[in-house]
Amino acid sequence: MSIAHSRPQHAHGRPAKRFQILFQHPAAGGMILMLAAALALLVANSPWAGHYTAALAYSLGGLSILHWINDGLMAVFFLLVGLEIKREVINGQLSTWHRRILPGAAALGGMAGPALIYLALNQGAQGQPAGWAIPAATDIAFALGVLSLLGSRVPISLKVFLTALAILDDLGAILIIAFFYTSQLQVSALIAAAAVLALLVAMNRLGCRRLPWYLLVGLVLWGGVLKSGIHATLAGVLLALTIPHDADDSAKSDAPTSPLLRLEHAIAPWVGFLIVPVFGFANAGVTFAGVSPQALLAPVPLGIALGLFVGKQAGIFLAALATIRLGWAQLPSHASWRQLYGVALLCGIGFTMSLFIGLLAFPDDAALQNGVKLGVLLGSLVSAVAGAVLLRSVPARSK
């Protein structure tokens, strides 16, 4: 090959390599989600706001585009969450009780603290107690993205702690959705969904390892759950729990043999770089027309913002402090108390799951949904900045 011929190819290959490196960065998913949310805010407050709203309301196959995103695409997001939970419990950071104690206690504190603050601010005639769970969830992509931007300043043990905590936090959010945000049940559809789930369990027990069969039956399960009154996205979690997994297969392997790992590797980029940003773009668009400081002091946005910023950090740090002081767990290796507190601050980033629960809490009230978005955006932004600043101010320790 001649030099003249090779140079253009090298020039063309360099941008592709840069994009590949960019998308492999741990913060990439969180950064793209932030850009999607910022774009949604820009569009919602521009002359194109009407087109934005009309496009999301457009009906396709009996459901609006927004419903297809929130009930369909997000089922794949929940499928990935379920796969991560199962993997971590079988042979990951949650595989033993010793590993579960500290992140488990922190996750419980991190759900209770925000809920109590929200409820305290939403009593009386003006209060909306149905939104108590909105600030209880952590956005793992955002939090880990901010943490990864700090590089070696944060010890690996704290990144593992945050990952385990966020996964348990997601599990708590899933249970909350199932038990507290389920509409009136349709018994016949629920029975049909249960029968399909039993089929998936039988496939697992009989040694079926062909992912296409699981995905096909899982699609039927999604339809049954959608009709049953339970939120359709939970079908993704149920499907994930039936996917076979080999405990000795490594999640770091480039060619995993476990069906669970193969599916997780296949859908993770789509979830991180397409599904979650699309969800963020479709749901973060809040108009600031007529928004005043007084509007931010309304019970719903104030309860959410303070729940995320104050409730999360207090609940997580105090629960972790009590667990360690009682001798049930140890401070993550090479980490200081200030760094642990910084991670607790980052857990106040509740973007994706908080917006999702907000839609379930107030499904037919656009004004309250607007308040949810304001509270989530404000609480998440302040938590991200405060956590990053604190962690950056702590001197790096030897690993």
Side-chain angles (χ1 to χ4, degrees):
M1 183 179 296
S2 68
I3 295 177
H5 214 61
S6 63
R7 282 179 179 171
Q9 287 189 350
H10 181 68
H12 285 301
R14 189 174 298 168
K17 184 67 174 178
R18 288 173 179 170
F19 274 110
Q20 183 180 4
I21 294 172
L22 173 65
F23 283 110
Q24 288 175 346
H25 194 281
M31 292 169 63
I32 292 175
L33 179 56
M34 284 187 272
L35 289 174
L39 182 60
L41 290 171
L42 181 64
V43 173
N45 291 277
S46 75
W48 297 290
H51 299 291
Y52 170 79
T53 304
L56 293 174
Y58 183 79
S59 180
L60 184 66
L63 295 175
S64 68
I65 296 297
L66 184 62
H67 274 102
W68 277 115
I69 293 170
N70 293 342
D71 291 8
L73 286 182
M74 286 300 284
V76 183
F77 166 80
F78 276 86
L79 170 61
L80 179 62
V81 170
L83 294 172
E84 291 174 342
I85 291 172
K86 181 173 181 177
R87 170 173 53 77
E88 293 293 341
V89 168
I90 291 177
N91 65 335
Q93 296 302 323
L94 303 173
S95 59
T96 65
W97 284 110
H98 177 73
R99 291 180 172 182
R100 296 170 193 162
I101 291 174
L102 185 60
L108 288 174
M111 287 185 280
L116 291 174
I117 287 180
Y118 179 91
L119 288 172
L121 294 170
N122 277 271
Q123 300 298 314
Q126 300 299 317
Q128 298 292 337
W132 65 272
I134 296 171
T138 295
D139 190 302
I140 186 170
F142 257 133
L144 287 174
V146 173
L147 202 62
S148 67
L149 290 175
L150 298 169
S152 60
R153 284 184 168 273
V154 180
I156 297 296
S157 62
L158 273 184
K159 296 176 182 178
V160 171
F161 167 74
L162 176 58
T163 301
L165 189 160
I167 288 174
L168 288 172
D169 193 276
D170 282 344
L171 178 59
I174 289 165
L175 294 175
I176 287 170
I177 292 169
F179 289 104
F180 296 99
Y181 294 106
T182 294
S183 58
Q184 187 174 359
L185 294 176
Q186 300 294 325
V187 177
S188 58
L190 186 62
I191 293 174
V196 176
L197 179 60
L199 174 60
L200 286 164
V201 172
M203 290 167 57
N204 182 301
R205 294 297 179 89
L206 293 172
C208 177
R209 298 173 62 86
R210 295 181 62 83
L211 280 174
W213 286 109
Y214 282 97
L215 297 178
L216 182 61
V217 177
L219 188 61
V220 179
L221 175 65
W222 177 83
V225 174
L226 177 67
K227 297 292 185 182
S228 71
I230 300 173
H231 201 272
T233 52
L234 296 181
V237 180
L238 296 175
L239 172 61
L241 299 180
T242 67
I243 303 295
H245 179 50
D246 304 323
D248 57 348
D249 200 354
S250 172
K252 297 180 180 179
S253 172
D254 292 331
T257 59
S258 165
L260 183 147
L261 290 179
R262 286 191 283 118
L263 181 58
E264 184 180 347
H265 285 198
I267 68 173
W270 293 98
V271 171
F273 299 124
L274 178 63
I275 291 175
V276 172
V278 166
F279 171 84
F281 178 74
N283 291 281
V286 55
T287 176
F288 294 119
V291 174
S292 62
Q294 288 75 21
L296 293 173
L297 297 178
V300 169
L302 183 63
I304 293 171
L306 290 181
L308 287 171
F309 179 59
V310 179
K312 269 291 183 182
Q313 60 171 292
I316 289 173
F317 187 75
L318 292 177
L321 176 65
T323 304
I324 294 170
R325 292 300 191 201
L326 288 170
W328 297 345
Q330 293 181 333
L331 191 67
S333 60
H334 304 293
S336 66
W337 285 105
R338 285 179 66 190
Q339 287 175 319
L340 183 65
Y341 185 66
V343 169
L345 273 168
L346 288 184
C347 288
I349 306 173
F351 190 81
T352 305
M353 198 69 82
S354 291
L355 286 177
F356 188 82
I357 295 176
L359 295 172
L360 301 181
F362 309 118
D364 302 313
D365 194 319
L368 287 178
Q369 288 181 6
N370 219 38
V372 167
K373 294 173 184 179
L374 286 172
V376 170
L377 290 170
L378 180 60
S380 297
L381 178 62
V382 175
S383 296
V385 172
V389 169
L390 177 59
L391 288 170
R392 189 169 180 80
S393 70
V394 180
R397 308 180 87 189
S398 59
K399 308 298 186 287

mmCIF file of all heavy atoms in Angstrom, residues 259-295:
data_model
loop_
_atom_site.group_PDB
_atom_site.id
_atom_site.type_symbol
_atom_site.label_atom_id
_atom_site.label_comp_id
_atom_site.label_asym_id
_atom_site.label_seq_id
_atom_site.Cartn_x
_atom_site.Cartn_y
_atom_site.Cartn_z
ATOM 1 N N PRO A 259 -25.373 -16.955 29.484
ATOM 2 C CA PRO A 259 -26.412 -16.205 28.765
ATOM 3 C C PRO A 259 -26.689 -14.847 29.395
ATOM 4 O O PRO A 259 -26.922 -13.871 28.680
ATOM 5 C CB PRO A 259 -27.630 -17.136 28.856
ATOM 6 C CG PRO A 259 -27.046 -18.508 28.969
ATOM 7 C CD PRO A 259 -25.803 -18.329 29.799
ATOM 8 N N LEU A 260 -26.656 -14.781 30.727
ATOM 9 C CA LEU A 260 -26.914 -13.505 31.394
ATOM 10 C C LEU A 260 -25.871 -12.468 31.007
ATOM 11 O O LEU A 260 -26.204 -11.328 30.667
ATOM 12 C CB LEU A 260 -26.931 -13.715 32.911
ATOM 13 C CG LEU A 260 -27.250 -12.478 33.764
ATOM 14 C CD1 LEU A 260 -28.014 -12.866 35.027
ATOM 15 C CD2 LEU A 260 -25.993 -11.710 34.158
ATOM 16 N N LEU A 261 -24.593 -12.859 31.044
ATOM 17 C CA LEU A 261 -23.538 -11.910 30.709
ATOM 18 C C LEU A 261 -23.574 -11.520 29.243
ATOM 19 O O LEU A 261 -23.316 -10.369 28.880
ATOM 20 C CB LEU A 261 -22.175 -12.488 31.072
ATOM 21 C CG LEU A 261 -21.870 -12.612 32.570
ATOM 22 C CD1 LEU A 261 -20.492 -13.218 32.779
ATOM 23 C CD2 LEU A 261 -21.953 -11.260 33.252
ATOM 24 N N ARG A 262 -23.873 -12.482 28.380
ATOM 25 C CA ARG A 262 -23.958 -12.168 26.946
ATOM 26 C C ARG A 262 -25.064 -11.157 26.683
ATOM 27 O O ARG A 262 -24.903 -10.214 25.896
ATOM 28 C CB ARG A 262 -24.176 -13.448 26.138
ATOM 29 C CG ARG A 262 -22.920 -14.316 26.033
ATOM 30 C CD ARG A 262 -23.078 -15.436 25.017
ATOM 31 N NE ARG A 262 -23.892 -16.522 25.539
ATOM 32 C CZ ARG A 262 -25.053 -16.917 25.039
ATOM 33 N NH1 ARG A 262 -25.566 -16.286 23.983
ATOM 34 N NH2 ARG A 262 -25.719 -17.929 25.566
ATOM 35 N N LEU A 263 -26.210 -11.339 27.345
ATOM 36 C CA LEU A 263 -27.311 -10.403 27.158
ATOM 37 C C LEU A 263 -26.972 -9.050 27.766
ATOM 38 O O LEU A 263 -27.246 -7.999 27.163
ATOM 39 C CB LEU A 263 -28.586 -10.967 27.799
ATOM 40 C CG LEU A 263 -29.847 -10.107 27.666
ATOM 41 C CD1 LEU A 263 -30.170 -9.848 26.199
ATOM 42 C CD2 LEU A 263 -31.036 -10.782 28.355
ATOM 43 N N GLU A 264 -26.352 -9.056 28.944
ATOM 44 C CA GLU A 264 -25.971 -7.799 29.588
ATOM 45 C C GLU A 264 -24.996 -7.012 28.718
ATOM 46 O O GLU A 264 -25.154 -5.797 28.519
ATOM 47 C CB GLU A 264 -25.346 -8.088 30.948
ATOM 48 C CG GLU A 264 -24.994 -6.839 31.737
ATOM 49 C CD GLU A 264 -24.363 -7.141 33.083
ATOM 50 O OE1 GLU A 264 -24.406 -8.313 33.526
ATOM 51 O OE2 GLU A 264 -23.804 -6.214 33.685
ATOM 52 N N HIS A 265 -23.983 -7.688 28.173
ATOM 53 C CA HIS A 265 -23.017 -7.019 27.305
ATOM 54 C C HIS A 265 -23.683 -6.496 26.034
ATOM 55 O O HIS A 265 -23.298 -5.440 25.519
ATOM 56 C CB HIS A 265 -21.903 -7.993 26.926
ATOM 57 C CG HIS A 265 -20.937 -8.248 28.051
ATOM 58 N ND1 HIS A 265 -19.690 -8.783 27.855
ATOM 59 C CD2 HIS A 265 -21.029 -8.038 29.386
ATOM 60 C CE1 HIS A 265 -19.065 -8.892 29.010
ATOM 61 N NE2 HIS A 265 -19.863 -8.451 29.954
ATOM 62 N N ALA A 266 -24.677 -7.223 25.541
ATOM 63 C CA ALA A 266 -25.319 -6.831 24.280
ATOM 64 C C ALA A 266 -26.201 -5.598 24.438
ATOM 65 O O ALA A 266 -26.226 -4.728 23.562
ATOM 66 C CB ALA A 266 -26.140 -8.002 23.739
ATOM 67 N N ILE A 267 -26.929 -5.499 25.557
ATOM 68 C CA ILE A 267 -27.901 -4.405 25.678
ATOM 69 C C ILE A 267 -27.361 -3.197 26.439
ATOM 70 O O ILE A 267 -27.925 -2.107 26.332
ATOM 71 C CB ILE A 267 -29.217 -4.878 26.334
ATOM 72 C CG1 ILE A 267 -28.989 -5.251 27.805
ATOM 73 C CG2 ILE A 267 -29.826 -6.026 25.550
ATOM 74 C CD1 ILE A 267 -30.291 -5.575 28.544
ATOM 75 N N ALA A 268 -26.267 -3.365 27.199
ATOM 76 C CA ALA A 268 -25.761 -2.250 28.012
ATOM 77 C C ALA A 268 -25.464 -1.002 27.180
ATOM 78 O O ALA A 268 -25.859 0.106 27.577
ATOM 79 C CB ALA A 268 -24.531 -2.686 28.797
ATOM 80 N N PRO A 269 -24.776 -1.103 26.024
ATOM 81 C CA PRO A 269 -24.528 0.120 25.235
ATOM 82 C C PRO A 269 -25.814 0.769 24.737
ATOM 83 O O PRO A 269 -25.917 2.002 24.700
ATOM 84 C CB PRO A 269 -23.664 -0.377 24.064
ATOM 85 C CG PRO A 269 -23.069 -1.668 24.542
ATOM 86 C CD PRO A 269 -24.106 -2.272 25.420
ATOM 87 N N TRP A 270 -26.787 -0.047 24.337
ATOM 88 C CA TRP A 270 -28.058 0.493 23.845
ATOM 89 C C TRP A 270 -28.806 1.221 24.958
ATOM 90 O O TRP A 270 -29.409 2.274 24.721
ATOM 91 C CB TRP A 270 -28.931 -0.629 23.274
ATOM 92 C CG TRP A 270 -28.367 -1.230 22.032
ATOM 93 C CD1 TRP A 270 -27.636 -2.371 21.931
ATOM 94 C CD2 TRP A 270 -28.477 -0.708 20.701
ATOM 95 N NE1 TRP A 270 -27.277 -2.599 20.617
ATOM 96 C CE2 TRP A 270 -27.781 -1.602 19.839
ATOM 97 C CE3 TRP A 270 -29.098 0.417 20.151
ATOM 98 C CZ2 TRP A 270 -27.696 -1.388 18.470
ATOM 99 C CZ3 TRP A 270 -29.011 0.627 18.780
ATOM 100 C CH2 TRP A 270 -28.310 -0.262 17.963
ATOM 101 N N VAL A 271 -28.762 0.654 26.161
ATOM 102 C CA VAL A 271 -29.429 1.289 27.295
ATOM 103 C C VAL A 271 -28.722 2.591 27.665
ATOM 104 O O VAL A 271 -29.348 3.641 27.816
ATOM 105 C CB VAL A 271 -29.473 0.338 28.512
ATOM 106 C CG1 VAL A 271 -29.959 1.079 29.756
ATOM 107 C CG2 VAL A 271 -30.383 -0.854 28.228
ATOM 108 N N GLY A 272 -27.391 2.534 27.792
ATOM 109 C CA GLY A 272 -26.638 3.697 28.245
ATOM 110 C C GLY A 272 -26.585 4.841 27.254
ATOM 111 O O GLY A 272 -26.637 6.012 27.646
ATOM 112 N N PHE A 273 -26.504 4.501 25.957
ATOM 113 C CA PHE A 273 -26.281 5.541 24.951
ATOM 114 C C PHE A 273 -27.504 5.859 24.095
ATOM 115 O O PHE A 273 -27.472 6.785 23.298
ATOM 116 C CB PHE A 273 -25.122 5.145 24.043
ATOM 117 C CG PHE A 273 -23.831 4.984 24.793
ATOM 118 C CD1 PHE A 273 -23.118 3.800 24.727
ATOM 119 C CD2 PHE A 273 -23.339 6.005 25.591
ATOM 120 C CE1 PHE A 273 -21.932 3.641 25.433
ATOM 121 C CE2 PHE A 273 -22.157 5.860 26.295
ATOM 122 C CZ PHE A 273 -21.447 4.675 26.216
ATOM 123 N N LEU A 274 -28.599 5.110 24.273
ATOM 124 C CA LEU A 274 -29.807 5.391 23.498
ATOM 125 C C LEU A 274 -31.050 5.465 24.380
ATOM 126 O O LEU A 274 -31.703 6.495 24.465
ATOM 127 C CB LEU A 274 -30.002 4.333 22.410
ATOM 128 C CG LEU A 274 -31.273 4.505 21.554
ATOM 129 C CD1 LEU A 274 -31.219 5.820 20.775
ATOM 130 C CD2 LEU A 274 -31.458 3.319 20.612
ATOM 131 N N ILE A 275 -31.367 4.371 25.080
ATOM 132 C CA ILE A 275 -32.639 4.296 25.786
ATOM 133 C C ILE A 275 -32.732 5.320 26.912
ATOM 134 O O ILE A 275 -33.708 6.084 26.996
ATOM 135 C CB ILE A 275 -32.859 2.867 26.325
ATOM 136 C CG1 ILE A 275 -33.096 1.909 25.147
ATOM 137 C CG2 ILE A 275 -34.035 2.825 27.298
ATOM 138 C CD1 ILE A 275 -33.201 0.449 25.532
ATOM 139 N N VAL A 276 -31.737 5.366 27.790
ATOM 140 C CA VAL A 276 -31.792 6.318 28.911
ATOM 141 C C VAL A 276 -31.729 7.769 28.418
ATOM 142 O O VAL A 276 -32.495 8.613 28.903
ATOM 143 C CB VAL A 276 -30.690 6.011 29.940
ATOM 144 C CG1 VAL A 276 -30.611 7.105 30.996
ATOM 145 C CG2 VAL A 276 -30.953 4.660 30.608
ATOM 146 N N PRO A 277 -30.866 8.127 27.448
ATOM 147 C CA PRO A 277 -30.921 9.500 26.929
ATOM 148 C C PRO A 277 -32.260 9.848 26.277
ATOM 149 O O PRO A 277 -32.740 10.973 26.426
ATOM 150 C CB PRO A 277 -29.779 9.524 25.900
ATOM 151 C CG PRO A 277 -28.817 8.500 26.392
ATOM 152 C CD PRO A 277 -29.676 7.404 26.938
ATOM 153 N N VAL A 278 -32.870 8.894 25.548
ATOM 154 C CA VAL A 278 -34.184 9.151 24.952
ATOM 155 C C VAL A 278 -35.212 9.393 26.045
ATOM 156 O O VAL A 278 -36.057 10.301 25.952
ATOM 157 C CB VAL A 278 -34.604 7.975 24.042
ATOM 158 C CG1 VAL A 278 -36.091 8.059 23.694
ATOM 159 C CG2 VAL A 278 -33.779 7.971 22.764
ATOM 160 N N PHE A 279 -35.155 8.576 27.105
ATOM 161 C CA PHE A 279 -36.058 8.781 28.242
ATOM 162 C C PHE A 279 -35.833 10.163 28.847
ATOM 163 O O PHE A 279 -36.789 10.884 29.150
ATOM 164 C CB PHE A 279 -35.827 7.699 29.298
ATOM 165 C CG PHE A 279 -36.563 7.960 30.586
ATOM 166 C CD1 PHE A 279 -37.888 7.590 30.724
ATOM 167 C CD2 PHE A 279 -35.930 8.591 31.653
ATOM 168 C CE1 PHE A 279 -38.581 7.848 31.908
ATOM 169 C CE2 PHE A 279 -36.606 8.856 32.832
ATOM 170 C CZ PHE A 279 -37.941 8.478 32.962
ATOM 171 N N GLY A 280 -34.566 10.527 29.045
ATOM 172 C CA GLY A 280 -34.261 11.831 29.613
ATOM 173 C C GLY A 280 -34.779 12.967 28.738
ATOM 174 O O GLY A 280 -35.360 13.937 29.239
ATOM 175 N N PHE A 281 -34.593 12.845 27.418
ATOM 176 C CA PHE A 281 -35.065 13.880 26.505
ATOM 177 C C PHE A 281 -36.585 13.987 26.524
ATOM 178 O O PHE A 281 -37.142 15.081 26.476
ATOM 179 C CB PHE A 281 -34.587 13.586 25.079
ATOM 180 C CG PHE A 281 -35.074 14.576 24.065
ATOM 181 C CD1 PHE A 281 -34.523 15.848 24.004
ATOM 182 C CD2 PHE A 281 -36.097 14.250 23.189
ATOM 183 C CE1 PHE A 281 -34.987 16.780 23.074
ATOM 184 C CE2 PHE A 281 -36.564 15.174 22.259
ATOM 185 C CZ PHE A 281 -36.006 16.445 22.205
ATOM 186 N N ALA A 282 -37.272 12.838 26.620
ATOM 187 C CA ALA A 282 -38.732 12.835 26.585
ATOM 188 C C ALA A 282 -39.361 13.323 27.881
ATOM 189 O O ALA A 282 -40.497 13.808 27.875
ATOM 190 C CB ALA A 282 -39.239 11.424 26.273
ATOM 191 N N ASN A 283 -38.634 13.222 28.992
ATOM 192 C CA ASN A 283 -39.263 13.495 30.285
ATOM 193 C C ASN A 283 -38.672 14.675 31.055
ATOM 194 O O ASN A 283 -39.242 15.091 32.055
ATOM 195 C CB ASN A 283 -39.188 12.246 31.168
ATOM 196 C CG ASN A 283 -40.073 11.133 30.670
ATOM 197 O OD1 ASN A 283 -41.281 11.135 30.879
ATOM 198 N ND2 ASN A 283 -39.474 10.173 29.981
ATOM 199 N N ALA A 284 -37.540 15.201 30.621
ATOM 200 C CA ALA A 284 -36.919 16.306 31.360
ATOM 201 C C ALA A 284 -37.345 17.665 30.844
ATOM 202 O O ALA A 284 -36.946 18.689 31.409
ATOM 203 C CB ALA A 284 -35.392 16.192 31.290
ATOM 204 N N GLY A 285 -38.135 17.702 29.797
ATOM 205 C CA GLY A 285 -38.528 18.973 29.203
ATOM 206 C C GLY A 285 -39.546 19.718 30.054
ATOM 207 O O GLY A 285 -40.744 19.469 29.972
ATOM 208 N N VAL A 286 -39.083 20.604 30.888
ATOM 209 C CA VAL A 286 -39.964 21.412 31.728
ATOM 210 C C VAL A 286 -39.868 22.858 31.273
ATOM 211 O O VAL A 286 -38.786 23.373 31.017
ATOM 212 C CB VAL A 286 -39.590 21.275 33.223
ATOM 213 C CG1 VAL A 286 -38.119 21.608 33.436
ATOM 214 C CG2 VAL A 286 -40.467 22.147 34.090
ATOM 215 N N THR A 287 -41.023 23.498 31.137
ATOM 216 C CA THR A 287 -41.028 24.893 30.716
ATOM 217 C C THR A 287 -40.849 25.799 31.922
ATOM 218 O O THR A 287 -41.442 25.573 32.977
ATOM 219 C CB THR A 287 -42.334 25.245 29.988
ATOM 220 O OG1 THR A 287 -42.340 26.637 29.685
ATOM 221 C CG2 THR A 287 -43.565 24.900 30.821
ATOM 222 N N PHE A 288 -40.013 26.821 31.760
ATOM 223 C CA PHE A 288 -39.759 27.754 32.851
ATOM 224 C C PHE A 288 -40.638 29.001 32.756
ATOM 225 O O PHE A 288 -40.479 29.931 33.545
ATOM 226 C CB PHE A 288 -38.288 28.177 32.855
ATOM 227 C CG PHE A 288 -37.363 27.040 33.171
ATOM 228 C CD1 PHE A 288 -36.400 26.640 32.254
ATOM 229 C CD2 PHE A 288 -37.457 26.358 34.367
ATOM 230 C CE1 PHE A 288 -35.540 25.598 32.541
ATOM 231 C CE2 PHE A 288 -36.607 25.312 34.664
ATOM 232 C CZ PHE A 288 -35.642 24.926 33.752
ATOM 233 N N ALA A 289 -41.570 29.003 31.793
ATOM 234 C CA ALA A 289 -42.480 30.135 31.649
ATOM 235 C C ALA A 289 -43.352 30.244 32.900
ATOM 236 O O ALA A 289 -44.050 29.306 33.280
ATOM 237 C CB ALA A 289 -43.357 29.948 30.406
ATOM 238 N N GLY A 290 -43.305 31.386 33.522
ATOM 239 C CA GLY A 290 -44.116 31.609 34.718
ATOM 240 C C GLY A 290 -43.555 30.998 35.984
ATOM 241 O O GLY A 290 -44.180 31.086 37.047
ATOM 242 N N VAL A 291 -42.385 30.371 35.888
ATOM 243 C CA VAL A 291 -41.778 29.771 37.080
ATOM 244 C C VAL A 291 -41.098 30.868 37.900
ATOM 245 O O VAL A 291 -40.267 31.617 37.389
ATOM 246 C CB VAL A 291 -40.754 28.683 36.697
ATOM 247 C CG1 VAL A 291 -40.031 28.179 37.945
ATOM 248 C CG2 VAL A 291 -41.453 27.520 35.999
ATOM 249 N N SER A 292 -41.453 30.934 39.156
ATOM 250 C CA SER A 292 -40.887 31.936 40.066
ATOM 251 C C SER A 292 -40.211 31.233 41.233
ATOM 252 O O SER A 292 -40.383 30.028 41.420
ATOM 253 C CB SER A 292 -42.013 32.843 40.593
ATOM 254 O OG SER A 292 -42.939 32.061 41.338
ATOM 255 N N PRO A 293 -39.432 31.977 42.010
ATOM 256 C CA PRO A 293 -38.850 31.349 43.209
ATOM 257 C C PRO A 293 -39.912 30.729 44.111
ATOM 258 O O PRO A 293 -39.663 29.724 44.775
ATOM 259 C CB PRO A 293 -38.139 32.522 43.895
ATOM 260 C CG PRO A 293 -37.803 33.459 42.780
ATOM 261 C CD PRO A 293 -38.937 33.349 41.822
ATOM 262 N N GLN A 294 -41.109 31.351 44.132
ATOM 263 C CA GLN A 294 -42.177 30.804 44.952
ATOM 264 C C GLN A 294 -42.615 29.425 44.466
ATOM 265 O O GLN A 294 -42.993 28.558 45.265
ATOM 266 C CB GLN A 294 -43.394 31.752 44.950
ATOM 267 C CG GLN A 294 -43.194 33.039 45.736
ATOM 268 C CD GLN A 294 -42.295 34.034 45.013
ATOM 269 O OE1 GLN A 294 -42.121 33.956 43.797
ATOM 270 N NE2 GLN A 294 -41.724 34.971 45.761
ATOM 271 N N ALA A 295 -42.524 29.209 43.137
ATOM 272 C CA ALA A 295 -42.915 27.908 42.584
ATOM 273 C C ALA A 295 -41.980 26.809 43.075
ATOM 274 O O ALA A 295 -42.406 25.669 43.304
ATOM 275 C CB ALA A 295 -42.905 27.966 41.055
#
